[in-house]
Amino acid sequence: MIVRVFGLSVLVSLAALAAAFLYRGWTGLALCAILGILEVSLSFDNAVINATVLERMSLFWQRMFLTVGIVIAVFGMRLLFPLAIVWITGGLAPAEAFRLAMNPPPDGADHFPDGSPSYEAILLEAHPQIAAFGGMFLLLLFLNFVLSNRDLTWLSWIERPLGQLGRLDQLAVVIAMVVLVVVAEYLSPDDSRATVLISGLLGAVTYLLVDGLSSLFQRRQPGVFGGSPDDGPGDASAMDTDTSTRTGRDPHPTTVAVGKAGFFLFLYLEVLDASFSFDGVIGAFAITPDPILIALGLGFIGAMFVRSITIYLVRQGTLGQYRYLEHGAHWAIGALAVILLLSIQIEVNEVVTGLVGVAFISAAMASSVRANRCDGRRRSDHEAAGTH
């Protein structure tokens, strides 16, 4: 299982390290390895959340996530996304932005001798808008989770009251909009207030649109959630009935999204992954401004391993074994959303971001282990009592 799931990631990582060595020697190899480790450490909560979505997808869409999805993650978010920001915010042609990226100013300066800004400086200047978009997307994801009334709670002292409050329709959107207004008013630079507000609104709209579409098509899927059989024969064509090999548990057809439902879940997963990658892409520039090394480290190493971890969690049924893992991941998302929004004005070290996520995930796993042990002792006591 481990070799099958992680084998390709190991091979791709070795190839990326070799390419980094040929490109920049030992320095390039070291920087590429550091960036890969940074991405994996920052994105474990991303893998857990991805797994919760991937469990609802057929094997066909899981394969799409590992093939087409990795191309989007590597080349779209880790290479083209920073270049696109420079194109837009710097008013440069794509070729000029790439030339700027490949030819940084001497001695690591922020500007060239003629006073023009470097690629890194332009990207960092756009950080408030990036943070607002990603922060609002992740904040809505977190709020929709904690404001849901769930039978299973982890931090019950706060999750149960929040679940009760969540009975108020659209409360998550109301809270998110209030947070955005406060951030734009008190944390945004004066010359970026309007763009931060617009970027935050776009992040919220993106979440609501993609999440709404995926939910809509899941409800309409034939045979799933009471969907109509007239929704189209193509919707069921992508169904993989052998879901037991996918999750390690008995298949449950109402949890598997196919056709249009699977496509919108795939789209939701890609936008979610993009939102998670914002802090890693921006943080990478504290290590190196070289876009080639960033793509190799964050994309070919980091993104590949995050996807392998996601698949491993699904096929091992880890979310079922560790009952609070999903809760911990969502609290880590909430912390990341807050950090992204605060970073509009306050510089937050990437190590802090990574440690916060690891702390929530570790605490949730420890709580799950304790709960499983308590259940085991209760079963043993019950069986022992039954024999007397």
Side-chain angles (χ1 to χ4, degrees), residues 57-82:
M57 299 167 68
S58 67
L59 189 59
F60 170 82
W61 285 108
Q62 288 186 23
R63 289 170 178 162
M64 291 293 288
F65 176 69
L66 284 175
T67 53
V68 176
I70 195 64
V71 173
I72 296 172
V74 173
F75 294 102
M77 283 306 303
R78 275 75 176 185
L79 182 61
L80 296 181
F81 171 70

mmCIF file with all atom_site columns, all heavy atoms in Angstrom, residues 57-82:
data_model
loop_
_atom_site.group_PDB
_atom_site.id
_atom_site.type_symbol
_atom_site.label_atom_id
_atom_site.label_alt_id
_atom_site.label_comp_id
_atom_site.label_asym_id
_atom_site.label_entity_id
_atom_site.label_seq_id
_atom_site.pdbx_PDB_ins_code
_atom_site.Cartn_x
_atom_site.Cartn_y
_atom_site.Cartn_z
_atom_site.occupancy
_atom_site.B_iso_or_equiv
_atom_site.pdbx_formal_charge
_atom_site.auth_seq_id
_atom_site.auth_comp_id
_atom_site.auth_asym_id
_atom_site.auth_atom_id
_atom_site.pdbx_PDB_model_num
ATOM 1   N N   . MET A 1 57 ? -15.973 10.873 -3.686  1.00 0.00 ? 57 MET A N   1
ATOM 2   C CA  . MET A 1 57 ? -15.787 10.849 -5.130  1.00 0.00 ? 57 MET A CA  1
ATOM 3   C C   . MET A 1 57 ? -15.498 9.430  -5.601  1.00 0.00 ? 57 MET A C   1
ATOM 4   O O   . MET A 1 57 ? -14.922 8.622  -4.875  1.00 0.00 ? 57 MET A O   1
ATOM 5   C CB  . MET A 1 57 ? -14.638 11.784 -5.527  1.00 0.00 ? 57 MET A CB  1
ATOM 6   C CG  . MET A 1 57 ? -14.890 13.244 -5.153  1.00 0.00 ? 57 MET A CG  1
ATOM 7   S SD  . MET A 1 57 ? -13.417 14.298 -5.255  1.00 0.00 ? 57 MET A SD  1
ATOM 8   C CE  . MET A 1 57 ? -13.146 14.323 -7.024  1.00 0.00 ? 57 MET A CE  1
ATOM 9   N N   . SER A 1 58 ? -15.898 9.130  -6.835  1.00 0.00 ? 58 SER A N   1
ATOM 10  C CA  . SER A 1 58 ? -15.637 7.822  -7.410  1.00 0.00 ? 58 SER A CA  1
ATOM 11  C C   . SER A 1 58 ? -14.148 7.679  -7.715  1.00 0.00 ? 58 SER A C   1
ATOM 12  O O   . SER A 1 58 ? -13.388 8.649  -7.721  1.00 0.00 ? 58 SER A O   1
ATOM 13  C CB  . SER A 1 58 ? -16.441 7.641  -8.696  1.00 0.00 ? 58 SER A CB  1
ATOM 14  O OG  . SER A 1 58 ? -15.963 8.531  -9.699  1.00 0.00 ? 58 SER A OG  1
ATOM 15  N N   . LEU A 1 59 ? -13.734 6.449  -7.992  1.00 0.00 ? 59 LEU A N   1
ATOM 16  C CA  . LEU A 1 59 ? -12.330 6.185  -8.297  1.00 0.00 ? 59 LEU A CA  1
ATOM 17  C C   . LEU A 1 59 ? -11.877 6.963  -9.530  1.00 0.00 ? 59 LEU A C   1
ATOM 18  O O   . LEU A 1 59 ? -10.724 7.395  -9.613  1.00 0.00 ? 59 LEU A O   1
ATOM 19  C CB  . LEU A 1 59 ? -12.133 4.685  -8.516  1.00 0.00 ? 59 LEU A CB  1
ATOM 20  C CG  . LEU A 1 59 ? -10.685 4.199  -8.633  1.00 0.00 ? 59 LEU A CG  1
ATOM 21  C CD1 . LEU A 1 59 ? -9.896  4.545  -7.384  1.00 0.00 ? 59 LEU A CD1 1
ATOM 22  C CD2 . LEU A 1 59 ? -10.646 2.696  -8.894  1.00 0.00 ? 59 LEU A CD2 1
ATOM 23  N N   . PHE A 1 60 ? -12.790 7.166  -10.475 1.00 0.00 ? 60 PHE A N   1
ATOM 24  C CA  . PHE A 1 60 ? -12.462 7.947  -11.674 1.00 0.00 ? 60 PHE A CA  1
ATOM 25  C C   . PHE A 1 60 ? -12.024 9.353  -11.297 1.00 0.00 ? 60 PHE A C   1
ATOM 26  O O   . PHE A 1 60 ? -11.004 9.853  -11.785 1.00 0.00 ? 60 PHE A O   1
ATOM 27  C CB  . PHE A 1 60 ? -13.677 8.000  -12.599 1.00 0.00 ? 60 PHE A CB  1
ATOM 28  C CG  . PHE A 1 60 ? -13.525 8.980  -13.737 1.00 0.00 ? 60 PHE A CG  1
ATOM 29  C CD1 . PHE A 1 60 ? -12.823 8.627  -14.873 1.00 0.00 ? 60 PHE A CD1 1
ATOM 30  C CD2 . PHE A 1 60 ? -14.084 10.252 -13.658 1.00 0.00 ? 60 PHE A CD2 1
ATOM 31  C CE1 . PHE A 1 60 ? -12.677 9.534  -15.928 1.00 0.00 ? 60 PHE A CE1 1
ATOM 32  C CE2 . PHE A 1 60 ? -13.946 11.158 -14.698 1.00 0.00 ? 60 PHE A CE2 1
ATOM 33  C CZ  . PHE A 1 60 ? -13.238 10.789 -15.826 1.00 0.00 ? 60 PHE A CZ  1
ATOM 34  N N   . TRP A 1 61 ? -12.778 10.020 -10.408 1.00 0.00 ? 61 TRP A N   1
ATOM 35  C CA  . TRP A 1 61 ? -12.450 11.392 -10.039 1.00 0.00 ? 61 TRP A CA  1
ATOM 36  C C   . TRP A 1 61 ? -11.256 11.449 -9.098  1.00 0.00 ? 61 TRP A C   1
ATOM 37  O O   . TRP A 1 61 ? -10.533 12.443 -9.070  1.00 0.00 ? 61 TRP A O   1
ATOM 38  C CB  . TRP A 1 61 ? -13.671 12.082 -9.435  1.00 0.00 ? 61 TRP A CB  1
ATOM 39  C CG  . TRP A 1 61 ? -14.667 12.439 -10.492 1.00 0.00 ? 61 TRP A CG  1
ATOM 40  C CD1 . TRP A 1 61 ? -15.877 11.856 -10.732 1.00 0.00 ? 61 TRP A CD1 1
ATOM 41  C CD2 . TRP A 1 61 ? -14.504 13.449 -11.507 1.00 0.00 ? 61 TRP A CD2 1
ATOM 42  N NE1 . TRP A 1 61 ? -16.485 12.429 -11.814 1.00 0.00 ? 61 TRP A NE1 1
ATOM 43  C CE2 . TRP A 1 61 ? -15.666 13.411 -12.312 1.00 0.00 ? 61 TRP A CE2 1
ATOM 44  C CE3 . TRP A 1 61 ? -13.506 14.356 -11.811 1.00 0.00 ? 61 TRP A CE3 1
ATOM 45  C CZ2 . TRP A 1 61 ? -15.842 14.263 -13.392 1.00 0.00 ? 61 TRP A CZ2 1
ATOM 46  C CZ3 . TRP A 1 61 ? -13.675 15.215 -12.884 1.00 0.00 ? 61 TRP A CZ3 1
ATOM 47  C CH2 . TRP A 1 61 ? -14.835 15.156 -13.665 1.00 0.00 ? 61 TRP A CH2 1
ATOM 48  N N   . GLN A 1 62 ? -11.016 10.386 -8.352  1.00 0.00 ? 62 GLN A N   1
ATOM 49  C CA  . GLN A 1 62 ? -9.778  10.324 -7.581  1.00 0.00 ? 62 GLN A CA  1
ATOM 50  C C   . GLN A 1 62 ? -8.573  10.315 -8.515  1.00 0.00 ? 62 GLN A C   1
ATOM 51  O O   . GLN A 1 62 ? -7.566  10.989 -8.265  1.00 0.00 ? 62 GLN A O   1
ATOM 52  C CB  . GLN A 1 62 ? -9.761  9.070  -6.701  1.00 0.00 ? 62 GLN A CB  1
ATOM 53  C CG  . GLN A 1 62 ? -10.720 9.126  -5.525  1.00 0.00 ? 62 GLN A CG  1
ATOM 54  C CD  . GLN A 1 62 ? -10.552 7.928  -4.614  1.00 0.00 ? 62 GLN A CD  1
ATOM 55  O OE1 . GLN A 1 62 ? -9.514  7.294  -4.592  1.00 0.00 ? 62 GLN A OE1 1
ATOM 56  N NE2 . GLN A 1 62 ? -11.587 7.615  -3.852  1.00 0.00 ? 62 GLN A NE2 1
ATOM 57  N N   . ARG A 1 63 ? -8.697  9.541  -9.600  1.00 0.00 ? 63 ARG A N   1
ATOM 58  C CA  . ARG A 1 63 ? -7.595  9.514  -10.569 1.00 0.00 ? 63 ARG A CA  1
ATOM 59  C C   . ARG A 1 63 ? -7.422  10.866 -11.261 1.00 0.00 ? 63 ARG A C   1
ATOM 60  O O   . ARG A 1 63 ? -6.294  11.284 -11.549 1.00 0.00 ? 63 ARG A O   1
ATOM 61  C CB  . ARG A 1 63 ? -7.859  8.414  -11.596 1.00 0.00 ? 63 ARG A CB  1
ATOM 62  C CG  . ARG A 1 63 ? -7.697  7.005  -11.030 1.00 0.00 ? 63 ARG A CG  1
ATOM 63  C CD  . ARG A 1 63 ? -8.196  5.955  -11.985 1.00 0.00 ? 63 ARG A CD  1
ATOM 64  N NE  . ARG A 1 63 ? -7.986  4.603  -11.460 1.00 0.00 ? 63 ARG A NE  1
ATOM 65  C CZ  . ARG A 1 63 ? -8.615  3.531  -11.894 1.00 0.00 ? 63 ARG A CZ  1
ATOM 66  N NH1 . ARG A 1 63 ? -9.525  3.646  -12.869 1.00 0.00 ? 63 ARG A NH1 1
ATOM 67  N NH2 . ARG A 1 63 ? -8.368  2.349  -11.376 1.00 0.00 ? 63 ARG A NH2 1
ATOM 68  N N   . MET A 1 64 ? -8.507  11.553 -11.537 1.00 0.00 ? 64 MET A N   1
ATOM 69  C CA  . MET A 1 64 ? -8.427  12.895 -12.108 1.00 0.00 ? 64 MET A CA  1
ATOM 70  C C   . MET A 1 64 ? -7.708  13.845 -11.158 1.00 0.00 ? 64 MET A C   1
ATOM 71  O O   . MET A 1 64 ? -6.912  14.686 -11.577 1.00 0.00 ? 64 MET A O   1
ATOM 72  C CB  . MET A 1 64 ? -9.836  13.419 -12.410 1.00 0.00 ? 64 MET A CB  1
ATOM 73  C CG  . MET A 1 64 ? -10.531 12.708 -13.551 1.00 0.00 ? 64 MET A CG  1
ATOM 74  S SD  . MET A 1 64 ? -9.726  13.020 -15.152 1.00 0.00 ? 64 MET A SD  1
ATOM 75  C CE  . MET A 1 64 ? -10.193 14.737 -15.410 1.00 0.00 ? 64 MET A CE  1
ATOM 76  N N   . PHE A 1 65 ? -7.975  13.682 -9.863  1.00 0.00 ? 65 PHE A N   1
ATOM 77  C CA  . PHE A 1 65 ? -7.320  14.511 -8.853  1.00 0.00 ? 65 PHE A CA  1
ATOM 78  C C   . PHE A 1 65 ? -5.814  14.274 -8.861  1.00 0.00 ? 65 PHE A C   1
ATOM 79  O O   . PHE A 1 65 ? -5.023  15.200 -8.659  1.00 0.00 ? 65 PHE A O   1
ATOM 80  C CB  . PHE A 1 65 ? -7.913  14.188 -7.476  1.00 0.00 ? 65 PHE A CB  1
ATOM 81  C CG  . PHE A 1 65 ? -7.252  14.905 -6.335  1.00 0.00 ? 65 PHE A CG  1
ATOM 82  C CD1 . PHE A 1 65 ? -7.378  16.271 -6.178  1.00 0.00 ? 65 PHE A CD1 1
ATOM 83  C CD2 . PHE A 1 65 ? -6.502  14.202 -5.400  1.00 0.00 ? 65 PHE A CD2 1
ATOM 84  C CE1 . PHE A 1 65 ? -6.781  16.930 -5.124  1.00 0.00 ? 65 PHE A CE1 1
ATOM 85  C CE2 . PHE A 1 65 ? -5.905  14.846 -4.337  1.00 0.00 ? 65 PHE A CE2 1
ATOM 86  C CZ  . PHE A 1 65 ? -6.047  16.219 -4.199  1.00 0.00 ? 65 PHE A CZ  1
ATOM 87  N N   . LEU A 1 66 ? -5.400  13.028 -9.106  1.00 0.00 ? 66 LEU A N   1
ATOM 88  C CA  . LEU A 1 66 ? -3.981  12.695 -9.090  1.00 0.00 ? 66 LEU A CA  1
ATOM 89  C C   . LEU A 1 66 ? -3.278  12.974 -10.413 1.00 0.00 ? 66 LEU A C   1
ATOM 90  O O   . LEU A 1 66 ? -2.053  13.002 -10.448 1.00 0.00 ? 66 LEU A O   1
ATOM 91  C CB  . LEU A 1 66 ? -3.796  11.217 -8.736  1.00 0.00 ? 66 LEU A CB  1
ATOM 92  C CG  . LEU A 1 66 ? -3.985  10.854 -7.267  1.00 0.00 ? 66 LEU A CG  1
ATOM 93  C CD1 . LEU A 1 66 ? -3.899  9.354  -7.072  1.00 0.00 ? 66 LEU A CD1 1
ATOM 94  C CD2 . LEU A 1 66 ? -2.946  11.552 -6.410  1.00 0.00 ? 66 LEU A CD2 1
ATOM 95  N N   . THR A 1 67 ? -4.020  13.172 -11.490 1.00 0.00 ? 67 THR A N   1
ATOM 96  C CA  . THR A 1 67 ? -3.399  13.409 -12.791 1.00 0.00 ? 67 THR A CA  1
ATOM 97  C C   . THR A 1 67 ? -3.590  14.864 -13.228 1.00 0.00 ? 67 THR A C   1
ATOM 98  O O   . THR A 1 67 ? -2.671  15.673 -13.133 1.00 0.00 ? 67 THR A O   1
ATOM 99  C CB  . THR A 1 67 ? -3.966  12.440 -13.840 1.00 0.00 ? 67 THR A CB  1
ATOM 100 O OG1 . THR A 1 67 ? -5.411  12.518 -13.830 1.00 0.00 ? 67 THR A OG1 1
ATOM 101 C CG2 . THR A 1 67 ? -3.554  11.017 -13.542 1.00 0.00 ? 67 THR A CG2 1
ATOM 102 N N   . VAL A 1 68 ? -4.791  15.178 -13.657 1.00 0.00 ? 68 VAL A N   1
ATOM 103 C CA  . VAL A 1 68 ? -5.070  16.561 -14.072 1.00 0.00 ? 68 VAL A CA  1
ATOM 104 C C   . VAL A 1 68 ? -4.867  17.516 -12.902 1.00 0.00 ? 68 VAL A C   1
ATOM 105 O O   . VAL A 1 68 ? -4.311  18.614 -13.051 1.00 0.00 ? 68 VAL A O   1
ATOM 106 C CB  . VAL A 1 68 ? -6.506  16.681 -14.617 1.00 0.00 ? 68 VAL A CB  1
ATOM 107 C CG1 . VAL A 1 68 ? -6.833  18.119 -14.964 1.00 0.00 ? 68 VAL A CG1 1
ATOM 108 C CG2 . VAL A 1 68 ? -6.679  15.786 -15.834 1.00 0.00 ? 68 VAL A CG2 1
ATOM 109 N N   . GLY A 1 69 ? -5.305  17.096 -11.713 1.00 0.00 ? 69 GLY A N   1
ATOM 110 C CA  . GLY A 1 69 ? -5.189  17.953 -10.541 1.00 0.00 ? 69 GLY A CA  1
ATOM 111 C C   . GLY A 1 69 ? -3.761  18.296 -10.199 1.00 0.00 ? 69 GLY A C   1
ATOM 112 O O   . GLY A 1 69 ? -3.454  19.437 -9.816  1.00 0.00 ? 69 GLY A O   1
ATOM 113 N N   . ILE A 1 70 ? -2.850  17.342 -10.343 1.00 0.00 ? 70 ILE A N   1
ATOM 114 C CA  . ILE A 1 70 ? -1.454  17.627 -9.995  1.00 0.00 ? 70 ILE A CA  1
ATOM 115 C C   . ILE A 1 70 ? -0.831  18.582 -11.007 1.00 0.00 ? 70 ILE A C   1
ATOM 116 O O   . ILE A 1 70 ? 0.024   19.404 -10.663 1.00 0.00 ? 70 ILE A O   1
ATOM 117 C CB  . ILE A 1 70 ? -0.640  16.314 -9.892  1.00 0.00 ? 70 ILE A CB  1
ATOM 118 C CG1 . ILE A 1 70 ? 0.691   16.572 -9.183  1.00 0.00 ? 70 ILE A CG1 1
ATOM 119 C CG2 . ILE A 1 70 ? -0.392  15.707 -11.248 1.00 0.00 ? 70 ILE A CG2 1
ATOM 120 C CD1 . ILE A 1 70 ? 0.559   17.022 -7.768  1.00 0.00 ? 70 ILE A CD1 1
ATOM 121 N N   . VAL A 1 71 ? -1.267  18.497 -12.265 1.00 0.00 ? 71 VAL A N   1
ATOM 122 C CA  . VAL A 1 71 ? -0.776  19.452 -13.271 1.00 0.00 ? 71 VAL A CA  1
ATOM 123 C C   . VAL A 1 71 ? -1.206  20.867 -12.898 1.00 0.00 ? 71 VAL A C   1
ATOM 124 O O   . VAL A 1 71 ? -0.424  21.822 -12.965 1.00 0.00 ? 71 VAL A O   1
ATOM 125 C CB  . VAL A 1 71 ? -1.292  19.069 -14.673 1.00 0.00 ? 71 VAL A CB  1
ATOM 126 C CG1 . VAL A 1 71 ? -0.934  20.153 -15.691 1.00 0.00 ? 71 VAL A CG1 1
ATOM 127 C CG2 . VAL A 1 71 ? -0.722  17.728 -15.105 1.00 0.00 ? 71 VAL A CG2 1
ATOM 128 N N   . ILE A 1 72 ? -2.470  21.003 -12.480 1.00 0.00 ? 72 ILE A N   1
ATOM 129 C CA  . ILE A 1 72 ? -2.965  22.318 -12.048 1.00 0.00 ? 72 ILE A CA  1
ATOM 130 C C   . ILE A 1 72 ? -2.195  22.805 -10.838 1.00 0.00 ? 72 ILE A C   1
ATOM 131 O O   . ILE A 1 72 ? -1.799  23.980 -10.747 1.00 0.00 ? 72 ILE A O   1
ATOM 132 C CB  . ILE A 1 72 ? -4.471  22.243 -11.735 1.00 0.00 ? 72 ILE A CB  1
ATOM 133 C CG1 . ILE A 1 72 ? -5.266  21.905 -12.999 1.00 0.00 ? 72 ILE A CG1 1
ATOM 134 C CG2 . ILE A 1 72 ? -4.969  23.551 -11.131 1.00 0.00 ? 72 ILE A CG2 1
ATOM 135 C CD1 . ILE A 1 72 ? -6.734  21.622 -12.747 1.00 0.00 ? 72 ILE A CD1 1
ATOM 136 N N   . ALA A 1 73 ? -1.951  21.912 -9.887  1.00 0.00 ? 73 ALA A N   1
ATOM 137 C CA  . ALA A 1 73 ? -1.262  22.299 -8.656  1.00 0.00 ? 73 ALA A CA  1
ATOM 138 C C   . ALA A 1 73 ? 0.175   22.717 -8.915  1.00 0.00 ? 73 ALA A C   1
ATOM 139 O O   . ALA A 1 73 ? 0.651   23.725 -8.382  1.00 0.00 ? 73 ALA A O   1
ATOM 140 C CB  . ALA A 1 73 ? -1.302  21.143 -7.651  1.00 0.00 ? 73 ALA A CB  1
ATOM 141 N N   . VAL A 1 74 ? 0.880   21.947 -9.742  1.00 0.00 ? 74 VAL A N   1
ATOM 142 C CA  . VAL A 1 74 ? 2.296   22.212 -9.972  1.00 0.00 ? 74 VAL A CA  1
ATOM 143 C C   . VAL A 1 74 ? 2.493   23.421 -10.873 1.00 0.00 ? 74 VAL A C   1
ATOM 144 O O   . VAL A 1 74 ? 3.177   24.391 -10.519 1.00 0.00 ? 74 VAL A O   1
ATOM 145 C CB  . VAL A 1 74 ? 2.989   20.970 -10.575 1.00 0.00 ? 74 VAL A CB  1
ATOM 146 C CG1 . VAL A 1 74 ? 4.430   21.309 -10.971 1.00 0.00 ? 74 VAL A CG1 1
ATOM 147 C CG2 . VAL A 1 74 ? 2.988   19.829 -9.563  1.00 0.00 ? 74 VAL A CG2 1
ATOM 148 N N   . PHE A 1 75 ? 1.899   23.372 -12.066 1.00 0.00 ? 75 PHE A N   1
ATOM 149 C CA  . PHE A 1 75 ? 2.152   24.428 -13.039 1.00 0.00 ? 75 PHE A CA  1
ATOM 150 C C   . PHE A 1 75 ? 1.210   25.621 -12.858 1.00 0.00 ? 75 PHE A C   1
ATOM 151 O O   . PHE A 1 75 ? 1.613   26.761 -13.088 1.00 0.00 ? 75 PHE A O   1
ATOM 152 C CB  . PHE A 1 75 ? 2.010   23.867 -14.461 1.00 0.00 ? 75 PHE A CB  1
ATOM 153 C CG  . PHE A 1 75 ? 3.060   22.852 -14.799 1.00 0.00 ? 75 PHE A CG  1
ATOM 154 C CD1 . PHE A 1 75 ? 2.776   21.502 -14.774 1.00 0.00 ? 75 PHE A CD1 1
ATOM 155 C CD2 . PHE A 1 75 ? 4.341   23.256 -15.123 1.00 0.00 ? 75 PHE A CD2 1
ATOM 156 C CE1 . PHE A 1 75 ? 3.745   20.563 -15.073 1.00 0.00 ? 75 PHE A CE1 1
ATOM 157 C CE2 . PHE A 1 75 ? 5.320   22.327 -15.428 1.00 0.00 ? 75 PHE A CE2 1
ATOM 158 C CZ  . PHE A 1 75 ? 5.025   20.962 -15.405 1.00 0.00 ? 75 PHE A CZ  1
ATOM 159 N N   . GLY A 1 76 ? -0.034  25.340 -12.435 1.00 0.00 ? 76 GLY A N   1
ATOM 160 C CA  . GLY A 1 76 ? -0.972  26.440 -12.266 1.00 0.00 ? 76 GLY A CA  1
ATOM 161 C C   . GLY A 1 76 ? -0.669  27.300 -11.060 1.00 0.00 ? 76 GLY A C   1
ATOM 162 O O   . GLY A 1 76 ? -0.433  28.505 -11.176 1.00 0.00 ? 76 GLY A O   1
ATOM 163 N N   . MET A 1 77 ? -0.642  26.665 -9.877  1.00 0.00 ? 77 MET A N   1
ATOM 164 C CA  . MET A 1 77 ? -0.499  27.440 -8.644  1.00 0.00 ? 77 MET A CA  1
ATOM 165 C C   . MET A 1 77 ? 0.948   27.772 -8.302  1.00 0.00 ? 77 MET A C   1
ATOM 166 O O   . MET A 1 77 ? 1.232   28.843 -7.775  1.00 0.00 ? 77 MET A O   1
ATOM 167 C CB  . MET A 1 77 ? -1.134  26.676 -7.473  1.00 0.00 ? 77 MET A CB  1
ATOM 168 C CG  . MET A 1 77 ? -2.634  26.756 -7.458  1.00 0.00 ? 77 MET A CG  1
ATOM 169 S SD  . MET A 1 77 ? -3.253  28.461 -7.502  1.00 0.00 ? 77 MET A SD  1
ATOM 170 C CE  . MET A 1 77 ? -2.462  29.147 -6.061  1.00 0.00 ? 77 MET A CE  1
ATOM 171 N N   . ARG A 1 78 ? 1.874   26.865 -8.563  1.00 0.00 ? 78 ARG A N   1
ATOM 172 C CA  . ARG A 1 78 ? 3.250   27.081 -8.106  1.00 0.00 ? 78 ARG A CA  1
ATOM 173 C C   . ARG A 1 78 ? 4.126   27.779 -9.132  1.00 0.00 ? 78 ARG A C   1
ATOM 174 O O   . ARG A 1 78 ? 5.188   28.280 -8.779  1.00 0.00 ? 78 ARG A O   1
ATOM 175 C CB  . ARG A 1 78 ? 3.891   25.745 -7.720  1.00 0.00 ? 78 ARG A CB  1
ATOM 176 C CG  . ARG A 1 78 ? 3.611   25.296 -6.302  1.00 0.00 ? 78 ARG A CG  1
ATOM 177 C CD  . ARG A 1 78 ? 2.208   24.783 -6.133  1.00 0.00 ? 78 ARG A CD  1
ATOM 178 N NE  . ARG A 1 78 ? 1.944   24.266 -4.787  1.00 0.00 ? 78 ARG A NE  1
ATOM 179 C CZ  . ARG A 1 78 ? 0.820   23.683 -4.420  1.00 0.00 ? 78 ARG A CZ  1
ATOM 180 N NH1 . ARG A 1 78 ? -0.168  23.549 -5.300  1.00 0.00 ? 78 ARG A NH1 1
ATOM 181 N NH2 . ARG A 1 78 ? 0.640   23.272 -3.193  1.00 0.00 ? 78 ARG A NH2 1
ATOM 182 N N   . LEU A 1 79 ? 3.699   27.841 -10.390 1.00 0.00 ? 79 LEU A N   1
ATOM 183 C CA  . LEU A 1 79 ? 4.504   28.511 -11.408 1.00 0.00 ? 79 LEU A CA  1
ATOM 184 C C   . LEU A 1 79 ? 3.746   29.648 -12.077 1.00 0.00 ? 79 LEU A C   1
ATOM 185 O O   . LEU A 1 79 ? 4.180   30.799 -12.052 1.00 0.00 ? 79 LEU A O   1
ATOM 186 C CB  . LEU A 1 79 ? 4.964   27.498 -12.462 1.00 0.00 ? 79 LEU A CB  1
ATOM 187 C CG  . LEU A 1 79 ? 5.862   28.047 -13.582 1.00 0.00 ? 79 LEU A CG  1
ATOM 188 C CD1 . LEU A 1 79 ? 7.147   28.614 -12.992 1.00 0.00 ? 79 LEU A CD1 1
ATOM 189 C CD2 . LEU A 1 79 ? 6.183   26.955 -14.594 1.00 0.00 ? 79 LEU A CD2 1
ATOM 190 N N   . LEU A 1 80 ? 2.555   29.344 -12.650 1.00 0.00 ? 80 LEU A N   1
ATOM 191 C CA  . LEU A 1 80 ? 1.829   30.365 -13.395 1.00 0.00 ? 80 LEU A CA  1
ATOM 192 C C   . LEU A 1 80 ? 1.139   31.384 -12.488 1.00 0.00 ? 80 LEU A C   1
ATOM 193 O O   . LEU A 1 80 ? 1.017   32.555 -12.858 1.00 0.00 ? 80 LEU A O   1
ATOM 194 C CB  . LEU A 1 80 ? 0.792   29.701 -14.311 1.00 0.00 ? 80 LEU A CB  1
ATOM 195 C CG  . LEU A 1 80 ? 1.357   28.808 -15.416 1.00 0.00 ? 80 LEU A CG  1
ATOM 196 C CD1 . LEU A 1 80 ? 0.230   28.236 -16.256 1.00 0.00 ? 80 LEU A CD1 1
ATOM 197 C CD2 . LEU A 1 80 ? 2.331   29.593 -16.286 1.00 0.00 ? 80 LEU A CD2 1
ATOM 198 N N   . PHE A 1 81 ? 0.668   30.932 -11.307 1.00 0.00 ? 81 PHE A N   1
ATOM 199 C CA  . PHE A 1 81 ? -0.031  31.856 -10.418 1.00 0.00 ? 81 PHE A CA  1
ATOM 200 C C   . PHE A 1 81 ? 0.834   33.045 -10.001 1.00 0.00 ? 81 PHE A C   1
ATOM 201 O O   . PHE A 1 81 ? 0.405   34.202 -10.124 1.00 0.00 ? 81 PHE A O   1
ATOM 202 C CB  . PHE A 1 81 ? -0.555  31.099 -9.193  1.00 0.00 ? 81 PHE A CB  1
ATOM 203 C CG  . PHE A 1 81 ? -1.109  31.991 -8.115  1.00 0.00 ? 81 PHE A CG  1
ATOM 204 C CD1 . PHE A 1 81 ? -2.295  32.682 -8.307  1.00 0.00 ? 81 PHE A CD1 1
ATOM 205 C CD2 . PHE A 1 81 ? -0.447  32.144 -6.912  1.00 0.00 ? 81 PHE A CD2 1
ATOM 206 C CE1 . PHE A 1 81 ? -2.813  33.506 -7.317  1.00 0.00 ? 81 PHE A CE1 1
ATOM 207 C CE2 . PHE A 1 81 ? -0.947  32.961 -5.920  1.00 0.00 ? 81 PHE A CE2 1
ATOM 208 C CZ  . PHE A 1 81 ? -2.133  33.645 -6.121  1.00 0.00 ? 81 PHE A CZ  1
ATOM 209 N N   . PRO A 1 82 ? 2.074   32.835 -9.499  1.00 0.00 ? 82 PRO A N   1
ATOM 210 C CA  . PRO A 1 82 ? 2.901   34.005 -9.178  1.00 0.00 ? 82 PRO A CA  1
ATOM 211 C C   . PRO A 1 82 ? 3.181   34.883 -10.385 1.00 0.00 ? 82 PRO A C   1
ATOM 212 O O   . PRO A 1 82 ? 3.188   36.121 -10.281 1.00 0.00 ? 82 PRO A O   1
ATOM 213 C CB  . PRO A 1 82 ? 4.192   33.374 -8.630  1.00 0.00 ? 82 PRO A CB  1
ATOM 214 C CG  . PRO A 1 82 ? 3.799   32.012 -8.173  1.00 0.00 ? 82 PRO A CG  1
ATOM 215 C CD  . PRO A 1 82 ? 2.742   31.576 -9.136  1.00 0.00 ? 82 PRO A CD  1
#
